[in-house]
């Protein structure tokens, strides 16, 4: 599951780089395994120097992990971001970070 989260994060970073005009995308993936079904949905919206993303990952046991985040362009190739992760029990953790793209 970590690989799915890393791939989504990298895809979001690529979209953030081109957020000068409005853009959006949505993706839903379902994988059937011997242990059950794994599903993931992701949405990204960008408009005038800001991008918002929302991801939901549901494991084979039915537990859901939700991630959301917002990045705002503050300078050329620099973004201030805030991300929140919410676990299956409703506990959440937020953090702020800066992204520099070269």
């Amino acid at each position: 599951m970590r690989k799915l989260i890393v791939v989504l994060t990298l895809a979001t970073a690529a979209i953030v780089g081109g957020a000068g005009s409005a853009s959006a995308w949505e993706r839903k993936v379902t994988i059937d395994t011997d242990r059950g079904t794994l599903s993931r949905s992701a949405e990204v919206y960008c408009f005038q120097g800001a991008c918002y993303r929302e991801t939901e990952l549901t494991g084979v046991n039915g537990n859901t992990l939700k991630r959301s985040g917002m990045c705002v362009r503050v300078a050329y190739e620099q973004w201030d971001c805030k991300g929140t992760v919410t676990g299956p029990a409703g506990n959440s953790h937020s953090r702020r970070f800066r992204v520099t793209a070269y």
Side-chain angles (χ1 to χ4, degrees):
M1 279 201 249
R2 286 186 181 179
K3 288 182 181 179
L4 291 175
I5 293 170
V6 170
V7 168
L8 178 64
T9 302
L10 292 174
T12 302
I15 289 174
V16 167
S21 60
S23 64
W25 63 266
E26 181 177 344
R27 178 171 293 153
K28 295 182 181 182
V29 177
T30 302
I31 301 170
D32 293 318
T33 68
D34 294 338
R35 296 182 355 193
T37 301
L38 174 70
S39 64
R40 177 189 65 140
S41 65
E43 299 176 21
V44 176
Y45 305 97
C46 297
F47 183 72
Q48 293 187 357
C51 285
Y52 175 77
R53 72 161 187 223
E54 195 170 280
T55 306
E56 189 171 296
L57 185 62
T58 303
V60 295
N61 58 2
N63 288 337
T64 301
L65 176 71
K66 296 180 181 181
R67 295 181 64 171
S68 62
M70 177 101 179
C71 291
V72 177
R73 182 179 294 200
V74 293
Y76 180 71
E77 296 183 344
Q78 288 192 346
W79 300 79
D80 278 342
C81 304
K82 180 182 179 188
T84 302
V85 177
T86 305
N91 299 330
S92 64
H93 175 73
S94 296
R95 72 181 183 111
R96 292 186 180 276
F97 54 97
R98 177 164 282 187
V99 175
T100 302
Y102 295 103

